[in-house]
Amino acid sequence: GAVVSQHPSWVICKSGTSVKIECRSLDFQATTMFWYRQFPKQSLMLMATSNEGSKATYEQGVEKDKFLINHASLTLSTLTVTSAHPEDSSFYICSARTSGRAPTGELFFGEGSRLTVL
Amino acid sequence: DAKTTQPNSMESNEEEPVHLPCNHSTISGTDYIHWYRQLPSQGPEYVIHGLTSNVNNRMASLAIAEDRKSSTLILHRATLRDAAVYYCILRFGNEKLTFGTGTRLTIIP
């Protein structure tokens, strides 16, 4: 199956700093990528939908100025958590949809990036 | 959005079949039924999806009720590696996936 890779897999940072997480589709072109956040023992919560070459669409309650999403190419989307605080500590997961697959087909998920803000 | 209802948790013995139920009484005619699973500390993984007919793949089988108001994911022979949270999700076309709470499956050796 198609491969989606995230980097870094884990990161620890100080409060007030910014952290960038990359999501890459390794063997396919992804016109759309989705960013999720997951707190311990909870389900995945969709944060935003990222379309190549256009602005991301954020879910209600997600601060677009705090969670900057860039989808500059068909294989790379980035999520930047700006001025991170301890409450932003979470497991961030990206997902990609291929441009060539049937629209009702599977989505491919990255391994996730665990962010810990001290 | 049409919602799904799943048991919070289930247990099964290793090497036995597992039937994971999902209720979706408000499903619309164009909703596909998707199943994903999430192993500990990993991103979700696609399992199977279907519309009306039962579906089989190398991972599992999906049995869909005739009225489509419920479905069952069948793992034919559970292994310890199948221990995960299983999510049943309704999806229209290529829209985003909205995850519910899922079923935490524990496999007993």
Side-chain angles (χ1 to χ4, degrees):
Chain A
V3 178
V4 175
S5 178
Q6 285 184 238
H7 178 80
S9 55
W10 59 269
V11 57
I12 301 172
C13 70
K14 293 182 178 180
S15 185
T17 60
S18 294
V19 175
K20 179 184 286 188
I21 300 170
E22 294 185 346
C23 177
R24 294 182 184 272
S25 54
L26 298 185
D27 52 359
F28 66 98
Q29 293 185 330
T31 52
T32 302
M33 289 185 174
F34 304 92
W35 286 95
Y36 292 84
R37 179 169 54 181
Q38 186 175 33
F39 293 109
K41 299 197 182 299
Q42 294 187 22
S43 187
L44 286 80
M45 290 175 40
L46 181 66
M47 300 175 66
T49 302
S50 165
N51 293 299
E52 186 266 337
S54 62
K55 289 185 178 180
T57 302
Y58 290 82
E59 295 297 304
Q60 192 172 11
V62 178
E63 300 175 59
K64 62 180 182 181
D65 294 330
K66 180 169 184 62
F67 299 99
L68 302 179
I69 293 173
N70 183 280
H71 192 162
S73 78
L74 287 173
T75 60
L76 174 64
S77 176
T78 61
L79 167 68
T80 301
V81 182
T82 63
S83 185
H85 290 284
E87 58 265 29
D88 298 322
S89 299
S90 188
F91 193 48
Y92 291 88
I93 307 167
C94 73
S95 173
R97 183 173 69 209
T98 68
S99 56
R101 281 183 176 267
T104 56
E106 62 190 287
L107 291 182
F108 302 98
F109 286 82
E111 319 95 312
S113 299
R114 188 166 302 282
L115 170 64
T116 301
V117 184
L118 303 177
Chain B
D1 291 342
K3 292 188 176 180
T4 63
T5 303
Q6 299 177 253
N8 288 333
S9 63
M10 289 183 64
E11 289 185 349
S12 180
N13 293 321
E14 193 178 9
E15 299 187 3
E16 290 187 358
V18 181
H19 291 234
L20 296 165
C22 181
N23 287 321
H24 28 79
S25 58
T26 59
I27 189 171
S28 72
T30 51
D31 284 336
Y32 279 74
I33 303 161
H34 287 249
W35 284 82
Y36 283 75
R37 71 179 186 182
Q38 186 178 23
L39 279 64
S41 298
Q42 294 187 30
E45 172 187 32
Y46 169 81
V47 178
I48 202 168
H49 79 281
L51 182 62
T52 56
S53 303
N54 294 344
V55 185
N56 299 297
N57 66 20
R58 65 176 180 80
M59 287 182 70
S61 295
L62 176 60
I64 302 173
E66 195 170 335
D67 63 5
R68 299 209 329 126
K69 293 185 176 182
S70 65
S71 61
T72 302
L73 179 70
I74 303 167
L75 307 179
H76 295 286
R77 193 164 168 270
T79 70
L80 295 177
R81 290 181 296 179
D82 291 321
V85 178
Y86 286 78
Y87 297 97
C88 169
I89 305 169
L90 302 182
R91 184 177 182 218
F92 170 68
N94 59 0
E95 69 178 17
K96 59 195 177 187
L97 282 178
T98 300
F99 287 80
T101 53
T103 296
R104 182 174 298 276
L105 177 64
T106 300
I107 305 299
I108 302 169

